[in-house]
Amino acid sequence: MKQIRTVAAAALLTVTTYAVAVEMNGSHPDTYVVRKGDTLWDISARFLKKPWLWPEIWQANPQVKNPHLIYPGDILSLAYLDRVTAQPGPRQEAPINAIPLADVEPFLKNLNIVDSFKELPYVVGLEEDRLRASAGQLAYVVGLQGTQPGQRYMVVRPTVSYSQPKPSTDLEVRGNTLPGQGNLWKDYVASSDRNEFLGYELAQVNIGTVTKVGADQGQASTLRLEDSGREVRAGDRLVPVQAQPYDLQFIPHAPASNPLPGHIRVLAVTDTLTSGGPRDVIAISAGAREGIDNGTVFSIWRSGSHVSDRVGRRDSSRIDSSFHDGVGRVALPEEYAAHAMVFRTFDKVSYALIMEGNKPARVGYELKHPDAQ
C-alpha cells in the first residue's frame, strides 16, 4: 500500500506540474536574476499568464526551501520543462514582496474597520482650550480609566460607513451621517441580495502617549501628541497602538472558493474617487468572514446592463439602461476591468490593490474568481 500511495503521489505531482507549466508565457529567458525593487507579482506576470499561480510552480520543485521567499540575487531557471528552479543568491537583502509596500503602507498602518466606535475613549478638550492640537501638545481624554501612564494610543476619526446595497456613507467628525447622505440614488450601483451594515472606517489622525490617568470617570486623562501630520480635535476617538497590526509579506493566490454571484463589490476607491487603475487601493465588501485572507486575488467586472431594444421590440421600456431584466430589454455581457490583490483583511471589509487591468475599476463593480471568463 505504501508503494501504491508513493506512485499515486508522484503521478499527481507530475500532472499538477504539467497543468501549471502550460500556463507559462512562451517567450521567457532561460534564467532571470532577481533584482532589488522587483515584486513577486511583476516577476510572475513576466513569466506566467496567471501571476497568482507562482507559488504552485515553486512548490512543484522540492529543492526550493521556501517558495514564499525570493531574494535579490537569486537566479531563477525557467529552461527545464517550463518549470521554475532557483539557485540561492547572496541573501544580503530582504526578500522581495508581492506588491510595493510604499503603495499600501498608509492603509496598513492608518485605517481600521470596526463594527462600532461609540464606546471608545474620546478627546473632550485640548491644551489651553485650543480648537486643534498637534505634536508636542496635550489632548484631554474621557474613558481611559484602567490604563497606565506610558501606554500609546492612536487618535482616530470615523470617516465612512460601509454597507450594502449603498456602498458607503460619509461621516462627520463625531461619526454622524452628513446631511444629504440619505439619498440612495446618489451612489446607486448594481443591486444584490445583500442588505447589511459592514462596518465603520476609522482613519488615524495622530499618535499619543498617556502621561496622566484620570482618577475617576469624571476626570479627564492626559495624552501627549507625537505626530505632526493631522491635527486632533474634540470628538476624535482612541484605540491602543498595536505592535504589529499587519502582515509584511503577501503571497498572491486565488480565493479558497468561488465568490457568490453579486456578493462582493467595490465599496470605495482611494482619495474619494469613483474609479481607479493600477496601484490604486479599493475597499471591497467581504473579508475574513468569507474566507478571504491577505494575498487573495480577484478579478473585477462591470455588471452587464439591460438596454431597451427599441428596434426589435415596440413594447420596450423607455429606460435606456438598467441592472435588472425587463420587458423589451436585452442583457449586455459583463466586462472585465482589472485584477486586484487583498492586502488588509477585516471581518466584513477588506482593502485590495489594483494590480493590472484594461479599464478603470469603479465603485459597484463585482469581484469574481481571478480565472473568471
Side-chain angles (χ1 to χ4, degrees):
M1 290 299 295
K2 289 184 178 179
Q3 291 178 342
I4 293 176
R5 285 197 297 266
T6 301
V7 172
L12 180 61
L13 178 60
T14 302
V15 172
T16 302
T17 302
Y18 175 78
V20 173
V22 297
E23 298 293 339
M24 296 193 69
N25 287 324
S27 57
H28 58 72
D30 291 342
T31 61
Y32 177 77
V33 180
V34 180
R35 295 173 292 184
K36 185 177 181 180
D38 281 340
T39 66
L40 183 60
W41 183 278
D42 292 337
I43 294 177
S44 302
R46 193 175 306 167
F47 302 136
L48 300 178
K49 294 180 180 179
K50 300 177 180 179
W52 50 91
L53 292 180
W54 180 268
E56 296 183 26
I57 293 181
W58 276 60
Q59 289 168 357
N61 293 270
Q63 71 274 24
V64 178
K65 295 182 179 180
N66 190 338
H68 295 168
L69 295 179
I70 305 177
Y71 293 80
D74 286 356
I75 301 175
L76 307 181
S77 175
L78 304 110
Y80 178 67
L81 295 179
D82 273 349
R83 291 168 56 186
V84 179
T85 60
Q87 299 178 20
R91 304 295 172 98
Q92 296 174 350
E93 305 278 354
I96 66 173
N97 212 322
I99 55 177
L101 282 176
D103 290 350
V104 300
E105 189 174 16
F107 300 89
L108 290 169
K109 297 191 304 182
N110 300 341
L111 294 180
N112 285 278
I113 303 294
V114 297
D115 291 331
S116 63
F117 61 87
K118 297 290 187 181
E119 73 283 358
L120 296 176
Y122 59 91
V123 176
V124 71
L126 301 169
E127 180 181 358
E128 298 178 349
D129 294 328
R130 297 172 182 266
L131 297 179
R132 304 285 189 272
S134 188
Q137 297 171 342
L138 303 178
Y140 302 113
V141 181
V142 171
L144 281 181
Q145 284 69 31
T147 190
Q148 298 293 326
Q151 187 167 347
R152 301 179 74 231
Y153 282 85
M154 289 194 304
V155 183
V156 297
R157 185 174 300 160
T159 56
V160 176
S161 170
Y162 290 125
S163 60
Q164 291 277 269
K166 185 180 180 182
S168 64
T169 300
D170 294 333
L171 305 175
E172 50 95 43
V173 63
R174 292 175 177 81
N176 299 318
T177 302
L178 288 169
Q181 286 291 323
N183 186 357
L184 178 63
W185 298 101
K186 174 178 177 291
D187 297 306
Y188 184 72
V189 297
S191 62
S192 68
D193 295 333
R194 300 183 66 182
N195 185 5
E196 63 173 326
F197 167 75
L198 300 176
Y200 295 104
E201 181 182 85
L202 301 182
Q204 176 184 313
V205 296
N206 216 301
I207 292 179
T209 301
V210 176
T211 59
K212 183 180 180 180
V213 180
D216 52 49
Q217 190 66 31
Q219 186 175 3
S221 301
T222 303
L223 184 80
R224 180 174 294 278
L225 302 175
E226 303 172 2
D227 195 350
S228 58
R230 300 176 65 183
E231 293 181 322
V232 173
R233 57 178 118 170
D236 287 341
R237 304 281 170 164
L238 272 71
V239 295
V241 170
Q242 297 177 320
Q244 185 60 56
Y246 53 86
D247 292 341
L248 293 176
Q249 291 290 326
F250 306 98
I251 307 303
H253 59 274
S257 59
N258 285 328
L260 296 174
H263 186 78
I264 308 178
R265 295 193 180 273
V266 178
L267 294 172
V269 181
T270 183
D271 296 328
T272 68
L273 299 175
T274 58
S275 60
R279 297 301 188 261
D280 281 332
V281 173
I282 57 175
I284 65 173
S285 61
R289 184 183 64 175
E290 286 78 15
I292 296 174
D293 59 352
N294 293 338
T296 301
V297 177
F298 291 101
S299 57
I300 306 174
W301 293 74
R302 181 189 186 276
S303 299
S305 301
H306 292 75
V307 298
S308 300
D309 181 4
R310 299 185 180 182
V311 177
R313 293 287 298 271
R314 292 185 177 182
D315 59 346
S316 175
S317 169
R318 291 184 176 273
I319 300 177
D320 289 331
S321 179
S322 174
F323 291 110
H324 297 280
D325 196 4
V327 176
R329 292 179 184 163
V330 177
L332 302 184
E334 297 176 315
E335 300 172 357
Y336 164 77
H339 280 99
M341 191 187 78
V342 173
F343 63 86
R344 187 83 196 273
T345 307
F346 296 91
D347 187 35
K348 293 174 283 188
V349 175
S350 299
Y351 293 108
L353 186 70
I354 300 175
M355 306 303 300
E356 60 183 1
N358 55 26
K359 61 183 62 180
R362 300 181 183 275
V363 172
Y365 280 17
E366 183 180 351
L367 279 79
K368 301 183 178 184
H369 192 280
D371 292 333
Q373 299 291 329

